[in-house]
Amino acid sequence: MAKRIEVSDLNIYYGNFLAVEGVNVAIEPRSITALIGPSGCGKSTFLRSLNRMHEVLPGARVEGKVVMDGQDLYAADTDPVDVRRSIGMVFQRPNPFPTMSIYDNVIAGNRLNSKRMKKAEADEVVEKSLRGANLWAEVKDRLDRPGSGLSGGQQQRLCIARAIAVEPDVLLMDEPCSALDPISTLAIEDLMAELKERFTIVIVTHNMQQAARVSEQTGFFNLNGVGQPGRLIEFNPTEKIFSNPDEKATEDYISGRFG
Amino acid sequence: MTATKAPTEPPGQRTVRRPGDRLFAASAKGSGIFILLVLAGVAAFLISRALPALVAPAEDIPGGAGLAGYIAPLVVGTLLAAVLALLVATPLAVAIALYVAYYAPRRVAAALGYVIDLLAAIPSVVYGFWGLTVLAPALLPFHEWAAEYLGWIPLFAGPASNTGRTMFTVGLVLAVMILPIISAISREVFIQAPALHREAALALGATRWEMIKMAVIPYGKSGVIAGAMLGLGRALGETMAVAIVLSGGAAATLNLISNSSPSTIASNIALRFPEATGLDVNTLIASGLVLFLITLAVNMLARWIVNRRADFSGAN
């Protein structure tokens, strides 16, 4: 069910402030696309515009087109709620619902999509999603306990289970490992490699080794100075970005000369 | 780990305590003990002054039916008025709080917040006169309608009052009075629902209402209960507004719309105390002791409700 996303001439605003300018990019299905760049360059903002989470903030808006398999996500008759149901998101800080059990956390999105669900069916979705997120073995005996009792890495995998339980077309990950230790990070990276067989994955990361390890395509965002809009400087296969980038700025960034 | 421990160090050694820490700990402990002392003092006063009424023969108590016979209708009246007020005010207050926190445009929200807070600043005497002169006559048609069509429910058994100065009117006046307390506290906890979890719900494809159900209400539930209990405390103890509005009898009836509703403990004390002498005073204080115990029980119940699912409260 993985789908292709095409972005053309996308400008992203916070009120009157132009945060990201003129993004044109095509994100391929069944692959991992990494977005790298210095802090404040707009990569997270861009990611949040793909599932219309950007406009949740007051005054935030976009201009331009985001098309997923022919469907214009910003068309007047497109409901942002439907967009978010087909494009899942994992956040920087693990955010399972603290008032819900592990079980209820996993099934939360499904309960929204189809109100009535048989117990057996729900059990199946929970097990499949938790297995998919490599968490089943660790939590299968305490599904009725609160999700907030898990470790940070387990919580993040719980959030991934919650996101994939609704079988989205695309999975967006906003620095999913930045709050995790190296072992948990490795677990999530292995998981991403499995998930890309089924989903289109876009990941924002500050960790360039991570981008190099997991992704097929890499986009480099940068900005000229404070108050200037961020831009997509270069978008190329990951191998090329890290060995022989087209742009001088990309090379400076990945070789650690700034940022 | 044991190898790194100095052998001379006694187990459970006390950490260094700085003067600032000690001062703060002492003042916090002192404040806590002070509250307990005040509470114990009030309880001791009530019990000692109520004692003569507790041991007096039944025929000496006003009404001639003994202390329990005197206080029971008042307890019914107190609980009836307070529960009615709570049932009316809580859903309304939660709805107002959600509207102000998540639906209203920013300017409307601020204005509405002020107006609601202003309701709390109106003295209860003013509420009493409003209830007597405006609300009671305005509710007369409802009293008649309820007696005719809802008469099969004991609460609306009738006969309908011809003044409107009934338990039902009192309940509504009290509801308006406790509305600002509940809605202000609910609004605060709803606003504090973490953006992290609200965004998690939205990113799953929740509508705004679904987001509120998933991430805001569960998070704010204990706050709403706390607010409702504060409101209930005020409704239980409200004196002036009830004394002015209610023209009650002395029967322990659940009937909301007749003239025979019992008074509440607090308003009964206010009305009778100026002319009370001897054992009458002790009887009134005994009823005050009962009110004290009811309020205590309500608060403990609320705390128990809040703590029951502490693991899932979002505080961990």
Side-chain angles (χ1 to χ4, degrees):
Chain A
M1 288 201 307
K3 286 186 176 171
R4 175 188 166 92
I5 296 180
E6 277 174 69
V7 179
S8 39
D9 298 325
L10 193 69
N11 294 330
I12 310 177
Y13 295 86
Y14 288 101
N16 290 322
F17 174 66
L18 178 60
V20 179
E21 186 179 26
V23 177
N24 287 286
V25 71
I27 293 163
E28 296 300 325
R30 286 191 192 74
S31 72
I32 299 178
T33 302
L35 304 176
I36 60 172
S39 293
C41 68
K43 54 196 187 310
S44 287
T45 301
F46 170 72
L47 190 78
R48 288 167 62 93
S49 72
L50 294 181
N51 68 340
R52 298 192 64 169
M53 278 300 286
H54 174 64
E55 67 202 49
V56 166
L57 302 168
R61 63 199 165 86
V62 309
E63 287 167 1
K65 267 192 155 179
V66 180
V67 177
M68 182 170 74
D69 275 13
Q71 183 200 4
D72 183 357
L73 300 186
Y74 280 94
D77 60 344
T78 303
D79 186 348
V81 168
D82 293 335
V83 172
R84 294 179 203 135
R85 282 180 186 182
S86 57
I87 304 182
M89 189 162 201
V90 176
F91 293 80
Q92 182 173 356
R93 277 173 58 199
N95 55 359
F97 296 114
T99 51
M100 291 184 193
S101 66
I102 292 172
Y103 186 99
D104 289 335
N105 259 292
V106 176
I107 208 82
N110 302 63
R111 291 238 164 95
L112 293 176
N113 290 327
S114 58
K115 297 284 174 206
R116 299 203 149 270
M117 206 175 193
K118 288 202 191 84
K119 179 84 173 79
E121 200 182 336
D123 288 348
E124 199 178 311
V125 170
V126 168
E127 178 168 352
K128 186 177 157 209
S129 307
L130 284 172
R131 280 190 195 283
N134 286 337
L135 191 60
W136 175 251
E138 291 156 67
V139 301
K140 65 175 190 288
D141 298 322
R142 45 173 169 157
L143 292 175
D144 58 340
R145 298 299 305 151
S148 47
L150 301 173
S151 76
Q154 289 173 324
Q155 286 190 24
Q156 193 63 299
R157 277 180 283 152
L158 177 58
C159 292
I160 293 174
R162 181 175 67 187
I164 63 178
V166 292
E167 295 285 329
D169 302 316
V170 178
L171 197 56
L172 307 178
M173 306 177 106
D174 188 359
E175 298 181 39
C177 304
S178 64
L180 306 181
D181 68 280
I183 294 173
S184 303
T185 300
L186 197 65
I188 303 249
E189 286 180 10
D190 288 346
L191 177 56
M192 283 178 358
E194 290 171 27
L195 292 176
K196 77 173 179 188
E197 308 294 324
R198 291 155 59 205
F199 305 104
T200 305
I201 297 180
V202 185
I203 174 174
V204 164
T205 178
H206 270 295
N207 180 337
M208 281 180 276
Q209 287 82 9
Q210 182 171 57
R213 279 195 298 264
V214 300
S215 70
E216 278 82 31
Q217 303 280 324
T218 297
F220 171 62
F221 279 81
N222 200 4
L223 73 176
N224 292 328
V226 176
Q228 303 283 314
R231 292 163 178 279
L232 180 58
I233 302 294
E234 180 169 355
F235 189 83
N236 264 321
T238 302
E239 249 171 68
K240 181 167 166 54
I241 287 261
F242 284 96
S243 58
N244 180 26
D246 289 336
E247 300 288 332
K248 178 81 167 57
T250 314
E251 190 178 348
D252 286 351
Y253 183 71
I254 58 167
S255 59
R257 268 196 277 274
F258 84 100
Chain B
M1 292 303 276
T2 46
T4 60
K5 207 172 179 178
T8 53
E9 198 176 353
Q13 190 194 26
R14 295 189 60 185
T15 49
V16 181
R17 300 197 61 187
R18 290 167 210 288
D21 285 346
R22 220 172 295 167
L23 189 69
F24 179 73
S27 61
K29 192 190 276 180
S31 311
I33 291 173
F34 178 70
I35 289 187
L36 285 180
L37 284 180
V38 170
L39 199 66
V42 170
F45 162 80
L46 284 174
I47 291 171
S48 70
R49 298 293 291 273
L51 205 58
L54 294 176
V55 298
E59 60 271 20
D60 290 353
I61 303 289
L67 193 63
Y70 180 79
I71 293 178
L74 296 174
V75 170
V76 171
T78 304
L79 291 178
L80 209 55
V83 168
L84 181 63
L86 199 63
L87 288 181
V88 173
T90 306
L92 204 58
V94 169
I96 291 171
L98 285 176
Y99 177 73
V100 170
Y102 290 107
Y103 286 91
R106 200 165 293 186
R107 213 172 294 170
V108 178
L112 201 60
Y114 283 124
V115 172
I116 299 281
D117 288 348
L118 215 57
L119 279 180
I122 299 175
S124 58
V125 174
V126 175
Y127 276 111
F129 278 120
W130 172 73
L132 178 68
T133 57
V134 178
L135 195 62
L139 285 175
L140 272 180
F142 174 81
H143 281 83
E144 282 156 21
W145 179 86
E148 189 164 347
Y149 295 103
L150 300 176
W152 49 275
I153 306 172
L155 292 175
F156 298 106
S161 160
N162 52 4
T163 59
R165 298 172 63 183
T166 58
M167 193 56 89
F168 185 75
T169 307
V170 168
L172 291 194
V173 171
L174 291 179
V176 178
M177 293 177 72
I178 64 177
L179 193 64
I181 301 175
I182 306 178
S183 79
I185 292 177
S186 305
R187 187 184 63 206
E188 287 309 310
V189 294
F190 287 155
I191 287 175
Q192 283 167 15
L196 206 62
H197 301 125
R198 284 189 274 133
E199 292 203 335
L202 289 176
L204 278 175
T207 60
R208 196 179 327 197
W209 169 234
E210 286 168 334
M211 178 272 282
I212 285 171
K213 275 195 298 184
M214 279 174 115
V216 176
I217 291 179
Y219 179 86
K221 201 167 55 184
S222 59
V224 172
I225 293 176
M229 287 308 130
L230 275 181
L232 185 60
R234 175 158 191 204
L236 285 171
E238 177 50 41
T239 308
M240 273 328 285
V242 180
I244 293 172
V245 173
L246 191 66
S247 86
T253 169
L254 294 179
N255 194 336
L256 293 177
I257 59 168
S258 76
N259 279 331
S260 60
S261 297
S263 185
T264 69
I265 292 176
S267 82
N268 183 63
I269 293 176
L271 291 174
R272 300 277 158 87
F273 204 79
E275 284 137 41
T277 51
L279 194 60
D280 296 357
V281 176
N282 300 117
T283 310
L284 290 176
I285 291 178
S287 73
L289 177 64
V290 172
L291 181 60
F292 179 74
L293 293 176
I294 292 175
T295 316
L296 208 63
V298 162
N299 276 301
M300 287 168 73
L301 185 72
R303 197 147 281 247
W304 177 73
I305 292 173
V306 170
N307 284 342
R308 217 169 20 148
R309 274 170 63 84
D311 281 359
F312 290 90
S313 70
N316 46 358

